[in-house]
Amino acid sequence: MSTPYPFTAVVGQDDLRLALLLNAVSPQVGGVLVRGEKGTAKSTAVRALAALMPETEVVPGCRFSCDPAAPDPSCPDGPHESRPGARRPTALVELPVGASEDRLVGALDIERALAEGVKAFEPGLLAGAHRGILYVDEVNLLNDHLVDLLLDAAAMGASYVEREGVSVRHAARFLLVGTMNPEEGELRPQLLDRFGLTVEVKASREPEQRVEVVRRRLAYDDAPEEFAARWAGEEAAVRQRIVAARELLPSVRLGEGALLQIAATCGAFEVDGMRADIVMARTATALAAWAGRTDVLAEDVRQAALLALPHRRRRNPFDAPGLDEDKLDETLERFGGQNEDGDEAGNDDGDGDGDGPGPGGGPGGQPEPDGGPPGDGDVAARPEADEAGKPQAGPGGGAGERAPARASEPFRTKVLSVPGIGEGAAGRRSRARTDRGRTTGARRPRGALTKLHLAATVRAAAPHQRVRGRSGPGLVVRRDDLRQAVREGHESNLVLFVVDASGSMAARQRMSAVKGAVLSLLLDAYQRRDKVGLVTFRGAAAEVALPPTSSVDAAAARLESLPTGGRTPLAAGLLRAHDVLRVERLRDPARRPLVVVVTDGRATGGPQPVALAGRAARLLAAEGTASVVVDCEAGPVRLGLAGQLAGELDGTAVTLDELRADSIAGLVRDVQGAGTRRAA
């Protein structure tokens, strides 16, 4: 086994280390979600924590890591006799992004269950993580139903496996840690709320600290065991502090004053539900125990709010997590009052031992006052104005380029779906054969059986009972009789936006409405778990403003900073979309695309621009690409060019008004009808 990087050797990242340690002290805090850019020691810190944790005592031979002092009465390997336990290191179980449901929760042998009535259960990763750490790298890329199962088990402390009326239950209490890079997509707000704490991590911009990171990493890579030995003393000290804090935790008093501050803070920041209050209370209690105190102070409540509330304030995927610290301080001061001892709740007259960051972090860690994320503040991506206030040409633009217009208020859109039945990743847009959904038929299993079709299995086995010598009431079932249920649900798609940013779209009010419509479609894509991409065309060429990604907020940021002006190279935009789709088919052949062209249909620039655009459109149509044209033409005189383009694409044209969910009822039928005509 390789020597893990020492936890106490991680440079900086005080909030990350503190959040992990608080969960080590009190697993009831609810786990940690670590958000941040790549290369910021997220995975290193999580793996280092496992080596830092005290050893776990387990029942020898139990596959579910039961505690000898209090074994699980429902343990599938039980009942356990009273005997001495065995000590082992705290388990660190990693959940791969591509894991199946059976790999996560365990698999039940359906063949033996039907033929022999035996619950032959193969434990999954949740069983292995019991009383340990379950680590999910890139949790935002995990399938939604797996995230639901994972968080349900974390909340209930147990995992249930149900297969055709046969069920198995086992304990599953673990420290849940998820890491993610927001550039690759966000978690739904409902799932964010299930993580107890969240921290934002980013690389330091201070040269001295970056030098120290490199120096320590090189030393570790050259001699891991020697490097770990140099930090053994600090590791032992933090390990002992975790044990002491765990023992002190039941004695920590959460007074009425602290409870009032917690409730007032959650109310002031308008968080939904009561989970935030409970998590803050548990976090503040763990902070006090970690500091070696038996009373929760205002500073504990403040730090708990900074860790437990930012991710619960998001109302849509384009809201950046965060907390107004001035408002937090004002709320705490207003509801500070007096504690039971008559002292001001916000004052600590103790000696402060254990309150600083110390080895492995401490309550004093605060987020670095760094700048916000790139996007709206990225002036380099925007055209500058001259002294007279007229916009200058930006990169790749022409003399007529204008500064970006702001998007209008988003709205709920009609459902745009791809015709036919696909087999892509689970989502919420187009019909597909999936592992979850309504049962539509049965087939022989390909590989391991996961979803049994009971009626079809019985029908397959029934004619052979006499030949197989059936003598009792049980049905004699062979592997060849088993039938897999074929289910139909919904898949996610690649929604590729092809946006006209030329001079004909440049009227600010008009472009504002166009951006609002695209933003609305991006919100819809987020809710339906789609990948999105953005191609824009203006001036003399088209460009991929955003390659296909799961991060719709990145697409929204690019859209917000999109300038307009110049001619309309419509053909170039469609050809660039064709190139993007060609590459994506190689990367993810099961994911079907939906091209959304946002334009007024005009084509200018170069020889025969209209004819070239028609040929490019027919190229997309020939490959069976589902398309929708959002007609942005305005004014009393309309040429209907967007409708002609939709005809060339063999798709559907809708106006901005028709895109709204409350406008017309037949949009989905129109889109699917176009696909039916194409198939005919």
Side-chain angles (χ1 to χ4, degrees):
M1 180 184 294
S2 61
T3 304
Y5 191 91
F7 186 84
T8 52
V10 175
V11 179
Q13 309 297 9
D14 290 339
D15 284 343
L16 169 59
R17 294 189 295 162
L18 176 60
L20 292 172
L21 288 168
L22 292 178
N23 275 272
V25 171
S26 175
Q28 288 185 320
V29 166
V32 188
L33 176 64
V34 187
R35 299 164 45 92
E37 57 196 24
K38 50 189 175 292
T40 49
K42 299 190 297 291
S43 301
T44 299
V46 175
R47 294 189 177 100
L49 178 68
L52 186 68
M53 297 277 280
E55 289 187 332
T56 305
E57 192 169 9
V58 299
V59 173
C62 178
R63 298 175 297 168
F64 301 87
S65 303
C66 279
D67 184 353
D72 179 14
S74 302
C75 177
D77 284 355
H80 297 299
E81 298 178 358
S82 178
R83 55 175 174 163
R87 301 186 69 84
R88 61 164 174 76
T90 296
L92 172 65
V93 175
E94 298 190 33
L95 174 62
V97 170
S100 65
E101 181 177 335
D102 285 347
R103 183 74 182 100
L104 176 64
V105 301
L108 194 64
D109 191 326
I110 299 297
E111 185 177 2
R112 292 189 64 190
L114 288 176
E116 304 173 31
V118 176
K119 293 183 181 179
F121 181 67
E122 182 64 30
L125 296 177
L126 290 179
H130 179 47
R131 304 179 66 211
I133 301 173
L134 182 60
Y135 173 45
V136 189
D137 194 14
E138 306 294 352
V139 64
N140 52 326
L141 303 182
L142 200 65
N143 283 337
D144 281 355
H145 75 282
L146 292 183
V147 178
D148 290 333
L149 289 170
L150 181 66
L151 295 178
D152 284 344
M156 295 186 296
S159 175
Y160 296 85
V161 182
E162 302 281 349
R163 291 290 188 275
E164 303 299 336
V166 181
S167 64
V168 173
R169 175 210 171 274
H170 65 82
R173 293 184 296 275
F174 46 82
L175 195 168
L176 175 63
V177 184
T179 58
M180 59 175 284
N181 183 348
E183 294 178 356
E184 297 173 340
E186 287 284 0
L187 278 172
R188 304 196 312 271
Q190 298 93 324
L191 300 182
L192 280 173
D193 184 55
R194 300 296 292 273
F195 282 93
L197 309 180
T198 186
V199 290
E200 296 276 343
V201 296
K202 48 191 167 186
S204 172
R205 301 300 185 255
E206 294 296 328
E208 294 81 4
Q209 197 171 65
R210 296 176 74 96
V211 165
E212 186 62 23
V213 170
V214 174
R215 181 182 292 120
R216 292 187 187 183
R217 186 69 210 192
L218 293 178
Y220 170 76
D221 290 340
D222 289 342
E225 294 182 2
E226 180 181 332
F227 182 83
R230 292 205 301 267
W231 291 88
E234 287 84 348
E235 294 282 286
V238 175
R239 188 178 294 110
Q240 292 171 4
R241 190 173 170 186
I242 292 174
V243 173
R246 285 180 174 180
E247 294 174 350
L248 183 62
L249 187 65
S251 304
V252 175
R253 182 180 56 169
L254 183 65
E256 290 298 319
L259 274 173
L260 179 60
Q261 286 184 316
I262 290 170
T265 301
C266 293
F269 285 100
E270 300 179 347
V271 296
D272 296 331
M274 295 298 298
R275 185 175 284 119
D277 303 63
I278 296 170
V279 170
M280 274 190 65
R282 288 172 174 165
T283 305
T285 304
L287 280 162
W290 178 247
R293 289 186 267 101
T294 56
D295 283 306
V296 173
L297 305 179
E299 65 189 62
D300 300 323
V301 176
R302 185 183 194 279
Q303 184 65 53
L306 292 174
L307 293 172
L309 295 188
H311 61 300
R312 293 185 164 90
R313 298 199 63 240
R314 300 185 75 219
R315 292 296 184 267
N316 66 63
F318 309 135
D319 291 339
L323 210 62
D324 184 342
E325 294 193 33
D326 291 337
K327 182 177 179 180
L328 172 61
D329 291 335
E330 179 184 338
T331 303
L332 293 176
E333 183 178 355
R334 179 183 173 191
F335 291 91
Q338 304 233 332
N339 60 26
E340 284 88 342
D341 299 326
D343 299 325
E344 291 298 322
N347 295 334
D348 177 17
D349 295 328
D351 58 10
D353 287 346
D355 292 345
Q366 300 293 335
E368 296 180 6
D370 241 338
D376 291 352
D378 188 4
V379 258
R382 303 185 180 198
E384 301 294 338
D386 60 19
E387 294 180 358
K390 296 180 180 180
Q392 299 176 345
E401 182 177 299
R402 303 187 183 185
R406 296 193 64 83
S408 63
E409 192 69 21
F411 52 85
R412 190 165 65 91
T413 66
K414 286 288 185 181
V415 181
L416 306 178
S417 61
V418 178
I421 300 179
E423 294 184 350
R428 300 178 179 178
R429 183 171 297 278
S430 305
R431 293 172 57 199
R433 296 183 181 90
T434 62
D435 291 335
R436 303 172 71 85
R438 63 187 182 91
T439 301
T440 59
R443 61 170 172 79
R444 292 181 182 273
R446 302 165 188 165
L449 178 71
T450 55
K451 301 293 182 182
L452 178 74
H453 194 297
L454 184 58
T457 299
V458 171
R459 284 197 300 268
H464 309 292
Q465 296 305 295
R466 181 175 299 176
V467 175
R468 294 173 183 173
R470 173 186 170 186
S471 57
L475 191 68
V476 181
V477 179
R478 303 277 173 83
R479 173 157 291 277
D480 289 344
D481 303 327
L482 299 179
R483 294 295 182 266
Q484 175 86 22
V486 176
R487 300 189 173 187
E488 183 178 307
H490 289 85
E491 66 178 358
S492 62
N493 298 107
L494 166 59
V495 182
L496 182 61
F497 294 93
V498 184
V499 180
D500 185 347
S502 65
S504 64
M505 304 279 288
R508 295 194 69 80
Q509 185 175 0
R510 184 178 177 191
M511 197 60 199
S512 177
V514 168
K515 286 188 175 182
V518 178
L519 189 65
S520 303
L521 290 166
L522 283 171
L523 277 167
D524 182 69
Y526 168 80
Q527 293 164 352
R528 300 184 187 283
R529 317 309 291 163
D530 295 317
K531 290 181 70 174
V532 296
L534 179 63
V535 172
T536 63
F537 57 94
R538 63 187 176 91
E543 64 175 349
V544 181
L546 182 72
T549 175
S550 297
S551 178
V552 295
D553 50 344
R558 303 292 171 88
L559 179 72
E560 188 69 25
S561 61
L562 177 66
T564 57
R567 295 184 174 181
T568 312
L570 178 56
L574 297 174
L575 290 174
R576 182 56 62 92
H578 177 268
D579 291 341
V580 170
L581 295 181
R582 177 176 52 81
V583 173
E584 285 302 306
R585 284 191 184 98
L586 297 175
R587 291 176 177 168
D588 191 357
R591 190 182 295 270
R592 297 186 295 163
L594 174 65
V595 175
V596 179
V597 186
V598 185
T599 181
D600 57 9
R602 291 181 172 86
T604 60
Q608 299 182 321
V610 176
L612 285 174
R615 284 201 290 271
R618 290 192 292 274
L619 179 63
L620 285 168
E623 295 184 347
T625 304
S627 304
V628 176
V629 178
V630 180
D631 185 358
C632 303
E633 191 173 28
V637 179
R638 304 198 177 196
L639 303 178
L641 297 175
Q644 296 177 23
L645 176 63
E648 299 282 7
L649 287 166
D650 204 2
T652 301
V654 296
T655 66
L656 289 174
D657 289 337
E658 291 172 340
L659 193 60
R660 294 179 178 271
D662 55 358
S663 59
I664 57 173
L667 179 57
V668 177
R669 291 195 298 272
D670 290 343
V671 175
Q672 294 179 339
T676 304
R677 292 193 299 273
R678 180 164 55 244

